[in-house]
Amino acid sequence: MKKQKKENVEECANPEAAHAVSDDINDDGSWVEVNNESSGDGGDNLEDDQNVAEEEAVDPEVFAEQLARADALKAEGNTAFAEGDMEQAIAKYSEALEEAPMTAPLQRAVYFANRAACHMRLEEYSEAAIDCSAAIELHPEYTKALLRRASAFEAMSDYEAALMDLKKVVDLDPKNTAATAAQKRIEPLAEKKREEVKDEMIGKLKDLGNSLLGKFGMSLDNFKTEQDPNTGSYSIKFQQ
């Protein structure tokens, strides 16, 4: 098992609502029960999703039984997570996803996000980002999944992608201090990465130019740019 590591972005304990009562795991192994009557994020959209899930269920009793089995598996995963057994927790969340109806998007989003937390602890950042993306696809305003994916992107040095997720969290929840703090921390890293990429591209273009000019016994060093102090425009002059 890989070394456990705390995630870079602190995540808020404000999980989104699910069909009945669901719990969304925090990275410290704790979880919070969320009641359907106080969705907090998403408003009417979450209620519409729940209504669709209920209407599309062929047999309400079967639907409820499947959710109950899935939630029981998730609870086992939460216990394993709290005990530090990430592999067992991943297995249980995976079983919960297999058991949960496809017409229960909010519950499935929680299972994906919880499994992503396990991958983060195992430093499996690519897998964590994939699971978070699955959760966000099911629940686009799922701020915890967005924050967790930002953590994964940051760990993989994909600062631009991390910033995009953090900015969305701030748009959804301007008072989210974890997102705003992470955004301030990552912005200079993203700018530095942009400069490095730009310098690398310029270097490659220079090498290409020199390889072409070399056929004529010249290089880019034979060309000098000069700025006109009056107009501010540049001119290129050839020099031996």
Side-chain angles (χ1 to χ4, degrees), residues 159-160 163 166-167 180 182-194:
Y159 302 122
E160 295 290 351
L163 277 178
L166 292 170
K167 288 177 181 178
T180 53
Q183 186 175 350
K184 290 179 181 179
R185 184 183 70 253
I186 294 176
E187 280 176 344
L189 297 175
E191 181 59 30
K192 181 180 178 182
K193 188 74 174 287
R194 293 186 202 109

Side-chain angles (χ1 to χ4, degrees), residues 28-41:
D28 61 0
S30 62
W31 52 84
V32 181
E33 288 193 350
V34 183
N35 195 297
N36 182 34
E37 294 178 355
S38 56
S39 59
D41 294 322

Side-chain angles (χ1 to χ4, degrees), residues 14-24 32-54 63 67 71 74 103-107 110 139:
N14 180 27
E16 285 66 26
H19 175 73
V21 175
S22 179
D23 45 355
D24 188 358
V32 181
E33 288 193 350
V34 183
N35 195 297
N36 182 34
E37 294 178 355
S38 56
S39 59
D41 294 322
D44 295 336
N45 291 333
L46 296 186
E47 295 176 3
D48 291 342
D49 289 342
Q50 293 158 11
N51 291 336
V52 170
E54 293 172 354
F63 182 82
L67 282 184
D71 276 340
K74 178 192 62 181
T103 49
L106 301 183
Q107 294 90 331
V110 170
H139 186 353

